[in-house]
Amino acid sequence: MESKKVFITGGNRGIGKGIVEGFLSNGNEVLASCRDASKFPLENDRLTVAELDIADAKSIDNFKNIVESFGPEILVNNAGITKDNIFLRMSDDEWLDVIDTNLTGTFRVTKLVAKGMLKQKWGRIINISSISGMMGNPGQANYSASKSGIDGFTRSLAKELGSRNITVNSVAPGFIATDMTDNLANEELTKKIPLGRIGNVEDVVSLVLFLSSEDANYITGQTLVVDGGLFMK
Ligand code: NAI
């Protein structure tokens, strides 16, 4: 793979950290954002780390110059949160925080890079959604809505940007072992997964790398599931 400039949000841990490592090990130049750069766990000559809170419009504004001078060819919208609660107890704040971070954050960050990609007439946008957005999950009305929103956003954007050779896809992981799912993994759940195991970060990273590559030139507007077969349409 020819070296590209890649921007990844939430690159400090879990799936995002794995994606940063994957692109670095393929020789790419990476801009990774996180909320506290002093605690970033990786160092590399080809890695730039910068602070960004994707739920904060001001922070996005401050980030504009950093993105424009970096000039990303590939964007991975990875940062996301959960604030689970049963629907009748779900507060406005729990709803709004998750929608603001996962969905509006993805919209705002994508806006920062889209202009540059249009000028370059090449780009790859990969949004990390979730099977929760496709199958629903009790206690996750906010999260499921945000993630299926990301899938709809992906399809519309794919139609708008396709003529400029920019592909836009979603990656929908199932259960992947990270901090986010730490207290959820159990034997009952594993039994429901046809491949018989919780996913690992590398399972998601390999799909993201494929979608960013020239091998995926003719794939756009899709939501690709990586879940060991847990959800089948
Ligand atoms: P994680 O909790 O380990 O990492 C989330 C990352 O997002 C962290 O780097 C965190 O700092 C960042 N983040 C959260 N809010 C932010 C904000 N306002 N501004 C900037 N950064 C922010 O979770 P994990 O598992 O690595 O999740 C990564 C993505 O994958 C998320 O979008 C998540 O919804 C999605 N996903 C994860 C699954 C799993 O099983 N772990 C399953 C399906 C989707």
Side-chain angles (χ1 to χ4, degrees):
M1 184 171 158
E2 182 198 334
S3 169
K4 296 274 189 212
K5 291 184 180 174
V6 192
F7 170 28
I8 299 147
T9 62
N12 56 300
R13 65 169 197 239
I15 293 171
K17 176 169 169 259
I19 295 171
V20 170
E21 289 172 315
F23 277 109
L24 284 173
S25 65
N26 281 355
N28 297 283
E29 214 176 303
V30 174
L31 168 64
S33 72
C34 63
R35 281 174 295 182
D36 183 355
S38 68
K39 290 190 188 141
F40 203 83
L42 305 169
E43 268 184 54
N44 189 296
D45 290 348
R46 284 176 282 105
L47 172 66
T48 306
V49 176
E51 285 183 5
L52 169 67
D53 180 342
I54 64 161
D56 177 355
K58 232 187 195 161
S59 174
I60 299 256
D61 255 10
N62 295 340
F63 206 75
K64 204 169 168 216
N65 288 341
I66 299 173
V67 171
E68 282 178 1
S69 63
F70 181 74
E73 296 160 286
I74 299 169
L75 164 66
V76 185
N77 278 307
N78 162 77
I81 56 167
T82 53
K83 286 202 174 171
D84 296 358
N85 209 345
I86 56 167
F87 175 65
L88 288 180
R89 286 208 199 123
M90 188 172 281
S91 66
D92 276 15
D93 280 351
E94 285 166 337
W95 172 268
L96 290 170
D97 285 353
V98 171
I99 299 291
D100 275 357
T101 305
N102 298 0
L103 185 55
T104 311
T106 296
F107 162 77
R108 288 191 173 130
V109 171
T110 306
K111 246 188 165 180
L112 287 183
V113 308
K115 239 189 208 161
M117 285 182 180
L118 285 166
K119 274 192 203 142
Q120 292 157 11
K121 297 204 175 92
W122 195 95
R124 295 277 182 271
I125 298 171
I126 296 159
N127 301 317
I128 307 295
S129 65
S130 168
I131 59 164
S132 177
M134 306 168 92
M135 64 190 268
N137 251 346
Q140 291 201 316
N142 51 0
Y143 184 73
S144 300
S146 73
K147 293 300 190 176
S148 59
I150 286 178
D151 292 341
F153 171 70
T154 295
R155 289 188 283 273
S156 287
L157 210 61
K159 288 190 176 179
E160 283 195 36
L161 304 183
S163 64
R164 298 292 185 95
N165 206 15
I166 299 167
T167 67
V168 190
N169 291 289
S170 294
V171 165
F175 278 91
I176 308 298
T178 67
D179 291 349
M180 188 177 269
T181 51
D182 225 11
N183 53 353
L184 299 174
N186 59 45
E187 215 174 293
E188 251 341 273
L189 168 68
T190 310
K191 273 192 206 147
K192 289 187 188 150
I193 301 172
L195 289 180
R197 65 173 177 86
I198 303 284
N200 52 48
V201 165
E202 291 68 34
D203 293 320
V204 180
V205 174
S206 55
L207 179 54
V208 171
L209 293 179
F210 167 68
L211 285 173
S212 313
S213 74
E214 300 285 346
D215 291 335
N217 271 344
Y218 203 52
I219 302 173
T220 196
Q222 305 303 311
T223 297
L224 288 101
V225 172
V226 50
D227 71 345
L230 179 59
F231 172 65
M232 295 183 200
K233 270 190 246 177

